[in-house]
Amino acid sequence: MTTATHVTFDDTTPAGNRVSIYGATWKAQTFTTATPFSCRGVRIRVARLGSPGTVTVSLRAVSGADPTGSDLASNTFDGNALVTIVPVTNSELKEIIFTTPVTLAASTLYAIVVRATSGDVDNRVDWQYDNS
């Protein structure tokens, strides 16, 4: 089994494939593992509008096409410290190290879930995701 591995999903196209995250609007990116590995974190491309507050990034199991259950691993960061989305091409690759690494099984669908529950439409995180 591989250890100390990160999962990275982002769209490097300026202003491409962005979703807004705030309040009860959570977003997820699914991926399927090829081999089992110990995941200690993820990297996502994000920017902010206003002051979104604390952002939580986690891994969850998937049922059908949707994340399900509790977080398998998670950590938070200060969304107010991200680069702003103005101009619209701004974003940064943010590394989130989980508080505890999680072992992911081979050939299994998982989801990276991003949420900023104290944000609103004017205080949000925009995530550039991979739609492939």
Side-chain angles (χ1 to χ4, degrees), residues 5-131:
T5 303
H6 281 77
V7 178
T8 303
F9 282 99
D10 70 294
D11 179 358
T12 57
T13 307
N17 298 318
R18 285 186 183 228
V19 292
S20 295
I21 300 163
Y22 56 88
T25 304
W26 299 9
K27 298 296 179 181
Q29 168 80 58
T30 60
F31 65 97
T32 302
T33 55
T35 59
F37 67 94
S38 178
C39 183
R40 67 181 192 107
V42 297
R43 294 180 188 106
I44 57 175
R45 187 165 297 281
V46 288
R48 71 175 168 89
L49 178 67
S51 300
T54 300
V55 178
T56 301
V57 179
S58 63
L59 286 182
R60 288 194 176 192
V62 173
S63 177
D66 298 320
T68 188
S70 59
D71 294 339
L72 302 174
S74 68
N75 209 339
T76 62
F77 66 90
D78 182 4
N80 300 343
L82 293 171
V83 298
T84 63
I85 63 171
V86 179
V88 73
T89 55
N90 271 0
S91 66
E92 65 182 270
L93 191 59
K94 181 72 177 171
E95 180 176 51
I96 298 89
I97 303 296
F98 296 136
T99 52
T100 303
V102 61
T103 299
L104 303 181
S107 304
T108 304
L109 189 62
Y110 294 96
I112 300 169
V113 180
V114 181
R115 53 200 184 267
T117 57
S118 62
D120 57 39
V121 71
D122 296 317
N123 298 283
R124 67 177 194 255
V125 174
D126 277 16
W127 179 13
Q128 285 183 237
Y129 65 94
D130 179 356
N131 69 350

